[in-house]
């Protein structure tokens, strides 16, 4: 397909995908709508994009039109006039028969899949979407990306080091690439592995980084109630907060109890070493009781027999309070 729609709020991932189509930049025409904040400017950009895609390469070897930062697609904010003009443009694109040496790229932060615009282009365009993720989902995706990026330059994270890396650097793709480049320079050309200690020595927080999930479990491990509640509060507006948080905390207490009992087979060595340091703050009996509390809570919120947002907080406070002698 010669028509490409790339949607995502991570501008690095969007740009990286578009640049694979742009190639060496021969025949590239760019329309940037980043600062098009009113209907007149948006409609003017649309006219430019339409004119560019409607003009074939003629004798040129190649032509690529990249209409970027289109923040007023359906799903964003736009006037009715802009919305209608976009729908007409999508219908025209869907019917277009571009020559093999001509490509059209449209990129923006969001697009409503159920919109007329999106439905008109379905089947006629290659649509790539980098969906917005929950913080914990983004962390998992970032670990996979960090491992892949490191692998491309001949490096491999030791067990637990990739998770440590993301907890510091964050989930922003540009920051991940940049910080792995720093690790390459720091370790030297002959190095093959990245240890957790290397990450701690050289890695810096990336864009908008706040390793919130690790803040929750680390605060629980330290038995710092105030810090744990403050870290949890940042998740409270997320849908499924009660199910997710009760699951995370139950798993954390289960891991601590297993480590206390010496059951560490199959566990990540970095996780074992880190969590073993927290055992001085908990007795095995306390860990067993805390895990039982959250196991019961998770069953209630998953089954829908309880609304758990408040219960998660109260259950954690009760579990973290030290028993009176």
């Amino acid at each position: 397909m010669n028509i490409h729609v790339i949607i995502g709020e991570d501008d690095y991932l969007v740009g990286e995908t578009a640049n694979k189509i742009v190639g060496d930049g021969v025949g590239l025409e760019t329309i940037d709508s980043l600062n098009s904040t009113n209907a007149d400017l948006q409609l003017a950009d649309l006219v430019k994009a339409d004119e560019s895609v409607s003009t074939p390469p003629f004798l040129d070897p190649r032509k690529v039109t990249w209409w970027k930062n289109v923040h007023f697609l359906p799903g964003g904010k736009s006037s009715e006039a802009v919305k209608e003009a976009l729908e007409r443009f999508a219908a025209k694109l869907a019917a277009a028969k571009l020559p093999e040496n001509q490509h059209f790229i449209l990129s923006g932060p969001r697009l409503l899949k159920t919109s007329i615009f999106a439905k008109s282009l379905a089947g006629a365009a290659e649509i790539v979407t980098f969906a917005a993720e929950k913080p914990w989902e983004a962390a998992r995706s970032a670990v996979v990306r960090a491992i892949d990026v490191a692998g491309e330059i001949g490096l491999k994270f030791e067990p637990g080091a990739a998770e440590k890396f993301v907890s510091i650097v964050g989930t922003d793709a540009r920051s991940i690439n940049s910080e792995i480049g720093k690790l390459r320079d720091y370790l030297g050309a002959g190095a093959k592995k990245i240890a957790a200690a290397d990450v701690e020595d050289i890695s810096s927080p990336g864009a908008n980084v706040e390793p919130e999930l690790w803040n929750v479990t680390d605060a629980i491990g330290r038995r710092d109630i105030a810090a744990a509640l403050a870290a949890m509060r940042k998740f409270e507006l997320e849908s499924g907060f009660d199910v997710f948080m009760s699951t995370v905390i139950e798993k954390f207490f289960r891991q601590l109890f297993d480590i206390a009992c010496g059951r560490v087979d199959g566990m990540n060595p970095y996780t074992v070493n880190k969590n073993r340091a927290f055992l001085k703050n908990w007795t095995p009996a306390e860990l067993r009781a805390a895990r039982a509390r959250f196991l019961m809570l998770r069953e209630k919120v998953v089954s829908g027999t309880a609304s758990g947002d408040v219960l998660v907080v109260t259950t954690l406070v009760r579990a973290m309070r030290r028993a009176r002698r």
Side-chain angles (χ1 to χ4, degrees):
M1 290 184 179
N2 290 23
I3 300 172
H4 314 269
V5 179
I6 308 169
I7 303 298
E9 297 190 9
D10 189 322
D11 62 347
Y12 184 85
L13 290 178
V14 170
E16 186 179 55
T17 305
N19 283 325
K20 290 177 181 177
I21 303 166
V22 170
D24 58 8
V26 172
L28 175 63
E29 293 184 10
T30 303
I31 300 102
D32 193 342
S33 292
L34 181 63
N35 297 317
S36 298
T37 55
N38 59 53
D40 289 341
L41 292 173
Q42 293 164 4
L43 289 170
D45 287 349
L46 196 156
V47 169
K48 293 176 187 176
D50 190 0
E51 290 176 347
S52 180
V53 77
S54 298
T55 306
F58 295 117
L59 299 177
D60 294 326
R62 192 166 186 263
K63 180 176 182 179
V64 180
T65 301
W66 182 6
W67 188 13
K68 64 196 300 186
N69 296 314
V70 189
H71 53 86
F72 45 88
L73 293 174
K77 293 182 178 180
S78 66
S79 68
E80 195 63 29
V82 171
K83 178 183 175 183
E84 292 174 357
L86 283 169
E87 290 174 357
R88 291 192 297 271
F89 181 59
K92 182 176 180 179
L93 276 179
K97 302 294 183 183
L98 300 183
E100 289 186 4
N101 60 339
Q102 182 178 3
H103 289 260
F104 176 78
I105 307 168
L106 185 151
S107 65
R110 60 193 69 85
L111 172 62
L112 185 63
K113 292 181 180 179
T114 57
S115 65
I116 295 174
F117 182 92
K119 289 179 178 179
S120 296
L121 290 175
E126 176 194 31
I127 301 178
V128 178
T129 302
F130 297 101
E133 298 177 304
K134 304 293 186 186
W136 50 91
E137 294 170 338
R140 286 196 294 265
S141 299
V143 168
V144 173
R145 179 174 182 82
I147 291 171
D148 290 344
V149 172
E152 290 172 1
I153 57 173
L155 291 174
K156 183 177 180 180
F157 284 97
E158 291 185 354
E163 290 81 0
K164 179 67 176 178
F165 175 81
V166 170
S167 75
I168 295 174
V169 174
T171 60
D172 174 70
R174 190 185 305 276
S175 299
I176 289 172
N177 283 38
S178 173
E179 289 299 315
I180 287 179
K182 281 173 55 179
L183 280 166
R184 168 81 284 170
D185 294 340
Y186 173 74
L187 294 171
K192 298 296 182 184
K193 293 186 177 181
I194 303 172
D198 300 324
V199 172
E200 291 181 343
D201 286 344
I202 195 65
S203 297
S204 305
N208 303 315
V209 167
E210 193 156 5
E212 297 165 328
L213 185 55
W214 288 270
N215 282 347
V216 174
T217 52
D218 285 358
I220 293 172
R222 296 194 308 271
R223 213 155 179 165
D224 186 336
I225 295 177
L229 295 181
M232 281 174 55
R233 197 165 294 121
K234 296 171 184 176
F235 289 94
E236 287 179 341
L237 295 179
E238 301 287 348
S239 61
F241 164 81
D242 52 356
V243 175
F244 168 72
M245 197 57 68
S246 59
T247 300
V248 167
I249 297 174
E250 183 274 326
K251 178 182 177 182
F252 181 66
F253 280 126
R254 170 161 40 94
Q255 282 185 336
L256 285 183
F257 182 71
D258 285 344
I259 293 170
C261 297
R263 297 193 293 263
V264 298
D265 289 347
M267 282 194 192
N268 186 305
Y270 173 76
T271 300
V272 172
N273 291 333
K274 179 181 180 180
N275 289 349
R276 187 173 279 139
F278 295 138
L279 293 179
K280 65 179 182 292
N281 303 317
W282 297 88
T283 67
E286 288 174 329
L287 293 173
R288 188 189 303 112
R291 189 213 165 185
R293 286 178 185 270
F294 277 93
L295 196 58
M296 186 181 302
L297 174 60
R298 187 180 64 187
E299 290 174 355
K300 289 180 179 179
V301 296
V302 168
S303 65
T305 58
S307 177
D309 289 18
V310 175
L311 285 177
V312 170
V313 174
T314 56
T315 302
L316 182 61
V317 170
R318 288 169 183 162
M320 293 182 70
R321 283 177 179 163
R322 297 184 184 277
R324 293 181 180 178
R325 301 293 183 185

